[in-house]
Amino acid sequence: MSFQAYLDNIQAKTGRSPEDFRAYAAEKGWADASGLHDGVKAGAIVADLKAAFGLGHGHAMATVALLKGAKREGDA
């Protein structure tokens, strides 16, 4: 499955776009446009995304990759 397919599935499940998740991460103090803030652990983000949005582990990790800047929309 491509990274974009993960993002599409996340949006279909939650109704939230990648930009919505970036805004959510900024509100939570996890990240900004340059990536995750120092000391922010992926596990804490994953746990929150699972609880708040019902994401599975793989989809939550894909969101973390997006927030880190490791992956972008349109990536294969």
Side-chain angles (χ1 to χ4, degrees), residues 10 35 52 60:
I10 292 166

CSV table of all heavy atoms in Angstrom, one decimal, residues 10 35 52 60:
chain,number,residue,atom,x,y,z
A,10,ILE,N,-7.1,7.0,6.1
A,10,ILE,CA,-7.2,7.8,7.3
A,10,ILE,C,-8.3,8.8,7.2
A,10,ILE,O,-9.1,9.0,8.0
A,10,ILE,CB,-5.8,8.4,7.7
A,10,ILE,CG1,-4.9,7.3,8.1
A,10,ILE,CG2,-6.0,9.4,8.9
A,10,ILE,CD1,-3.4,7.7,8.2
A,35,GLY,N,8.6,19.8,11.8
A,35,GLY,CA,8.6,18.4,12.2
A,35,GLY,C,8.3,18.3,13.7
A,35,GLY,O,7.7,19.3,14.3
A,52,ALA,N,-8.2,9.0,20.2
A,52,ALA,CA,-9.1,10.1,19.8
A,52,ALA,C,-9.8,9.8,18.5
A,52,ALA,O,-10.9,10.3,18.3
A,52,ALA,CB,-8.2,11.3,19.7
A,60,ALA,N,-1.8,5.1,12.5
A,60,ALA,CA,-1.3,6.1,13.5
A,60,ALA,C,0.2,6.4,13.2
A,60,ALA,O,0.7,7.5,13.2
A,60,ALA,CB,-1.5,5.7,14.9
